[in-house]
Amino acid sequence: MTPQPEIISILTPDYASSQELSLSWIGEEDYSIIEYQLKIGKEINNGDVLDWIDIGRKEQITLNNLEVEHGDIIYVTIRAINSSGLTDIKVSKPIVIDDTPPPVPIVIDEGLYSTDDTKLYIDWRWTLPDRESGIKNFEVALLTSRNIDENIDWIKLEKTTTNYTFDMKLNNGEKYFMAVKSVNGAGLSSIGLSDGILIDTTKPEPPRIDDHGDYTDSLTTLQGTISGSIDPESGIASFYYSLGTYHQPNLLIDEEEVHSSNVGGTNFNLQVGEVYFFTAIAKNNAGLLSAQTWSDGIQVVEPDRPKVVKIEDGGEFTIDNKALSFVWMLDDASIPFAYYEYALLDNEEAAVADWLTTDKNQVTIKAEDIYGENGSFEDGKTYYLAVRTVNMLGSRTTVKISDGITVDSTPPTVPVIETATYTNEKFNLRWSCTDPHTQITGYKYAIGTTRGGTEISNGWIYIDVNELEEGESKERIDRIINLDLQHEGRYYLTVQA
């Protein structure tokens, strides 16, 4: 007897653009001929994006120009059919469509010039996050002009890297630009450039500014400390400092002269989400000024934001009892935070004992990780995901719980067909069927002159259980249809629930 085919796994990206989606899958070896079909939908086991198409015997495909929009969440369903007509169906984890490149990196160097001709430092920590598909990696390059071309030697860095030091011999009198490329999960990229820094070993060393951290939840107070500027000839007389944003560096304080190293204030009107920078110039006792230098920035954060406001789980039901996948959205994707915490619940009122962490806005939870090898989620049971964010100061936001997804990995019972042995042109469709775990949502039937044939009904005909005739129910169909049948002809009714 030919065994049923099995799709072992579907390999999909977490994110893709609408222009290109590459898929592959692994099927168990079978001595019969196995062919595959594929469909794509915005819910599990749906085909509203792309209905069933024949793939043939290959186990990979690249689809182009899908009719989806930025931010859509899609699921791929693969069906394997062997030469005996036996099938297996598996649904992929969710794929998030991201058609936008990541935000352009904000690249900050050490000032207008550097007195060190052996290294250059850059920082891009204040680049806005890519909340759709996240950052896959960064790349950096050192340039002598602002021209970006294909001949640049990029240095690839991890996605968590936010600064880099170029260690090399630099030319005195040369102006250097530093480029940062961000690549997101969908493979799209953006490039940011520094404003240029001149190597001049004859200049006095500019001061350094400590802004006392990367984040604050105060809406009124920012403090800084100036240090590091040395003038052995005449000594430092004072500092001129400003406080503002990257694009408006004098927004709050405009070149105020101070004679101490402590700067800042306690009566500002600070905006949540904004990054503030101190800038400073040292003046010696001879009246000469150093170059301006910048602090590395401090951002104002709100204790209970960003919040998770929506969780997608693929619909009301899933046929996969081995893994559950979830994707969630924030109320404001531009607000920084440290990471997500999540927990799977089998009761939406249950208290969470153990939180897990992730830096992605999606997660696939495998049953074997909870219940051990060969473990599975229980058919008929509804599962929920609880998610919250932890902000940059360690504060946890309000918990969001999904609306629940019910596992049903078993098909309905085989329909019991009760059609009479003899009929006239008034053909009686009559059968009954049940589903022990969820419910039947529809039937397909066909009529032909052979078992499984469809030529009399001109293909498969769908019955929506929300549009039943009088006396019918989701578990029982009983209706009359008119057919042009031949006297003494033999006909077969095939039903799928």
Side-chain angles (χ1 to χ4, degrees):
M1 180 177 178
T2 303
Q4 180 175 338
E6 180 182 0
I7 301 170
I8 298 174
S9 63
I10 302 176
L11 307 177
T12 61
D14 292 333
Y15 307 92
S17 73
S18 62
Q19 300 304 306
E20 182 176 289
L21 172 60
S22 294
L23 313 165
S24 63
W25 51 94
I26 300 173
E28 188 175 42
E29 289 190 12
D30 192 315
Y31 293 105
S32 65
I33 297 175
I34 296 180
E35 295 191 347
Y36 297 97
Q37 296 175 329
L38 174 151
K39 68 178 179 179
I40 299 175
K42 296 179 182 179
E43 290 190 352
I44 290 174
N45 204 27
N46 207 334
D48 54 338
V49 174
L50 180 67
D51 212 347
W52 289 114
I53 61 172
D54 292 320
I55 307 300
R57 301 187 64 184
K58 61 185 179 181
E59 295 185 349
Q60 61 183 14
I61 189 173
T62 297
L63 301 168
N64 300 109
N65 301 318
L66 291 173
E67 293 186 3
V68 292
E69 297 181 356
H70 174 72
D72 281 349
I73 300 168
I74 60 174
Y75 300 82
V76 178
T77 303
I78 304 291
R79 179 162 61 194
I81 308 171
N82 68 12
S83 55
S84 298
L86 300 176
T87 65
D88 185 34
I89 291 180
K90 187 173 287 293
V91 180
S92 75
K93 64 184 180 181
I95 303 168
V96 180
I97 299 300
D98 184 1
D99 278 338
T100 59
V104 174
I106 298 174
V107 185
I108 301 173
D109 56 28
E110 296 176 278
L112 296 177
Y113 69 80
S114 172
T115 60
D116 191 339
D117 62 358
T118 64
K119 61 180 180 292
L120 281 175
Y121 173 86
I122 53 170
D123 189 298
W124 59 91
R125 74 183 67 188
W126 301 119
T127 300
L128 293 175
D130 187 313
R131 293 301 185 202
E132 288 84 15
S133 61
I135 297 298
K136 181 180 179 182
N137 64 270
F138 288 105
E139 299 176 24
V140 297
L142 182 62
L143 314 173
T144 55
S145 74
R146 297 181 65 87
N147 294 328
I148 302 293
D149 58 42
E150 60 185 15
N151 297 318
I152 293 176
D153 293 325
W154 292 98
I155 301 170
K156 191 173 182 178
L157 303 173
E158 297 292 329
K159 64 180 181 179
T160 55
T161 305
T162 58
N163 58 73
Y164 187 79
T165 299
F166 294 92
D167 286 306
M168 61 182 68
K169 178 61 178 175
L170 304 168
N171 297 322
N172 189 43
E174 185 88 72
K175 191 171 188 178
Y176 291 91
F177 300 87
M178 287 163 281
V180 177
K181 179 194 293 185
S182 57
V183 183
N184 69 13
L188 306 175
S189 63
S190 297
I191 297 175
L193 280 171
S194 68
D195 58 2
I197 185 168
L198 180 68
I199 303 299
D200 189 343
T201 57
T202 66
K203 293 282 188 181
E205 182 180 349
R208 292 190 296 270
I209 312 173
D210 179 8
D211 51 22
H212 301 174
D214 289 336
Y215 303 94
T216 180
D217 58 4
S218 174
L219 297 177
T220 60
T221 301
L222 288 176
Q223 303 285 356
T225 303
I226 304 175
S227 64
S229 184
I230 301 173
D231 191 321
E233 286 79 19
S234 65
I236 297 299
S238 62
F239 299 101
Y240 293 94
Y241 88 97
S242 299
L243 176 60
T245 65
Y246 182 74
H247 296 291
Q248 295 178 282
N250 304 325
L251 179 65
L252 302 179
I253 296 176
D254 186 7
E255 295 191 3
E256 180 179 314
E257 185 176 11
V258 294
H259 297 276
S260 71
S261 60
N262 296 319
V263 294
T266 59
N267 195 32
F268 300 120
N269 181 22
L270 305 178
Q271 301 300 310
V272 171
E274 188 61 83
V275 182
Y276 295 93
F277 298 87
F278 288 94
T279 59
I281 297 171
K283 183 177 74 171
N284 68 11
N285 286 307
L288 298 177
L289 300 177
S290 74
Q292 185 186 73
T293 190
W294 288 61
S295 71
D296 59 10
I298 184 168
Q299 187 169 43
V300 179
V301 298
E302 190 174 348
D304 197 39
R305 293 187 72 197
K307 295 179 182 178
V308 177
V309 293
K310 185 178 181 181
I311 304 175
E312 296 282 359
D313 53 18
E316 294 184 53
F317 307 101
T318 177
I319 61 175
D320 190 348
N321 66 352
K322 296 297 184 181
L324 298 174
S325 296
F326 303 87
V327 180
W328 52 89
M329 296 83 181
L330 296 170
D331 61 341
D332 188 341
S334 67
I335 298 177
F337 62 95
Y339 53 88
Y340 298 102
E341 291 184 331
Y342 69 92
L344 185 69
L345 311 174
D346 58 11
N347 183 334
E348 61 181 331
E349 303 295 333
V352 178
D354 298 308
W355 291 93
L356 301 173
T357 63
T358 181
D359 60 355
K360 293 184 177 182
N361 70 326
Q362 62 173 275
V363 66
T364 295
I365 302 173
K366 296 181 179 180
E368 64 181 13
D369 294 337
I370 301 174
Y371 306 113
E373 187 177 1
N374 298 321
S376 60
F377 294 110
E378 184 179 337
D379 271 3
K381 178 168 283 190
T382 302
Y383 294 87
Y384 306 85
L385 190 76
V387 188
R388 64 188 180 188
T389 61
V390 179
N391 76 9
M392 305 307 289
L393 295 172
S395 300
R396 286 163 171 80
T397 59
T398 304
V399 176
K400 178 68 176 179
I401 297 177
S402 66
D403 58 4
I405 185 166
T406 302
V407 176
D408 185 4
S409 64
T410 57
T413 60
V414 176
V416 177
I417 299 176
E418 304 169 17
T419 301
T421 305
Y422 299 95
T423 186
N424 53 27
E425 65 273 6
K426 295 185 181 298
F427 196 94
N428 187 196
L429 301 177
R430 181 187 298 167
W431 65 79
S432 58
C433 183
T434 60
D435 188 296
H437 299 300
T438 52
Q439 58 184 347
I440 295 171
T441 59
Y443 295 97
K444 289 196 303 183
Y445 74 89
I447 301 170
T449 57
T450 60
R451 294 185 184 275
T454 63
E455 71 275 14
I456 300 301
S457 57
N458 292 317
W460 290 94
I461 298 175
Y462 182 72
I463 296 178
D464 188 337
V465 296
N466 295 314
E467 301 175 359
L468 297 174
E469 296 184 0
E470 185 178 353
E472 294 182 334
S473 68
K474 293 180 179 181
E475 289 77 30
R476 184 171 177 81
I477 299 298
D478 190 352
R479 62 180 63 178
I480 300 294
I481 60 173
N482 293 315
L483 294 174
D484 184 14
L485 304 178
Q486 299 296 317
H487 179 64
E488 294 187 351
R490 184 179 294 272
Y491 301 95
Y492 297 85
L493 171 65
T494 306
V495 178
Q496 291 183 355

